[in-house]
Amino acid sequence: MVDLTALLADLAAESEQLDALVAPLPPEAWARPTPAPGWTVAHQIAHLAWTDHVAHLAATDTAAFFASVTGAPDPSRLVDDGAEAFLAPPDALLARWRAGRAALAAALAAAPAGEKLPWYGTRMSPASMATARLMETWAHGEDVADALGVRRTPTGRLRHVAHLGFRTLGHGFAAHGRAAPTAPVRVELVAPHGDIWAFGPDDAADRVTGPALDFCLLVTQRRHRADLALVATGPVADEWLDVAQAFAGPPGGKRAAAGSGVAR
């Protein structure tokens, strides 16, 4: 069973790491473009604040959550419009993000055992919601770090992202309009501190191996597979690396390979 208290502590630590990166920035740095087209550093933090807000609604007021979905003027722009709506001057935006993530953590900790929270196209346990928030916080933190020219040190918290990436194998295929494979896949990743994180049956013919950081960058679509040291063995594993997607919703635009002449 997942230790929700420990998971929420890891989510808080991931958020605090990103907070420490952006809090000292001068106002002009918040306007720097990030690899996400049209999004600045401020948009990245506003997106996290907006998503924490709607996740809090899902955990505390399901009617309000569904109203936020059905009342959207353009559902295809829900994420972009949410980020725009939560934009504010840096100090106000930081305060909004900090208050929202604290409120969400408290709501998830208080959720009844076994409860499933509504989300976009699915339902999630409080632990799954916390894992998804950690994944997004880390992934958008990578976008911010890229914009600032900062290289972050990977931590053991990546295990949550890697496990979510493995669990969403079928979702990645479905999101790209492909049938989910029936053959199992074994994933063996070298963790930041050198140990091995393994998921899936050890006798599976299809396998993915490589650095845990690279796998997390792939499943969050922060790097093209051509720029990563991941090895796929077998047709299912090979196809998976083209469609892997750890987040809900339609497939993203994906990053182009370095040197392709297309902005990442």
Side-chain angles (χ1 to χ4, degrees), residues 7-264:
L7 179 55
L8 289 172
D10 280 349
L11 172 57
E14 194 64 40
S15 299
E16 288 159 8
Q17 183 186 53
L18 178 55
D19 193 313
L21 181 60
V22 299
L25 294 176
E28 60 270 19
W30 287 76
R32 287 190 187 180
T34 68
W39 277 23
T40 63
V41 169
H43 282 90
Q44 298 283 350
I45 302 303
H47 168 70
L48 292 175
W50 172 78
T51 314
D52 286 344
H53 167 70
V54 291
H56 183 261
L57 289 180
T60 61
D61 189 340
T62 55
F65 170 77
F66 285 119
S68 74
V69 179
T70 58
D74 182 354
S76 70
R77 285 193 50 82
L78 189 65
V79 171
D80 289 297
D81 287 349
E84 290 285 348
F86 270 62
L87 282 175
D91 287 347
L93 178 52
L94 271 175
R96 175 178 288 171
W97 179 39
R98 290 166 178 167
R101 71 194 198 224
L104 174 60
L108 294 178
E115 183 173 2
K116 293 288 187 178
L117 311 177
W119 201 237
Y120 300 101
T122 187
R123 298 187 73 86
M124 289 185 171
S125 69
S128 292
M129 182 71 81
T131 301
R133 299 309 308 127
L134 193 155
M135 177 271 295
E136 274 221 283
T137 302
W138 177 80
H140 289 284
E142 283 297 298
D143 291 339
V144 171
D146 283 347
L148 300 175
V150 173
R151 183 176 294 276
R152 303 192 300 172
T153 301
T155 73
R157 296 189 295 272
L158 281 182
R159 184 180 179 90
H160 300 296
V161 182
H163 190 213
L164 181 60
F166 169 74
R167 285 170 42 216
T168 52
L169 183 155
H171 167 68
F173 279 81
H176 288 77
R178 307 183 191 185
T182 56
V185 178
R186 172 76 166 182
V187 176
E188 294 182 356
L189 306 171
V190 181
H193 297 107
D195 49 327
I196 300 297
W197 294 340
F199 313 109
D202 58 11
D203 61 348
D206 283 84
R207 311 177 78 83
V208 171
T209 59
L213 173 60
D214 287 21
F215 182 75
C216 293
L217 289 168
L218 181 85
V219 299
T220 57
Q221 297 186 1
R222 261 52 194 181
R223 294 291 187 277
H224 190 280
R225 66 176 291 186
D227 298 326
L228 302 170
L230 296 173
V231 177
T233 302
V236 173
D238 184 63
E239 185 178 4
W240 180 29
L241 295 193
D242 288 333
V243 300
Q245 178 178 320
F247 51 88
K254 296 186 173 56
R255 304 286 165 82
S260 67
V262 180
R264 288 193 323 185

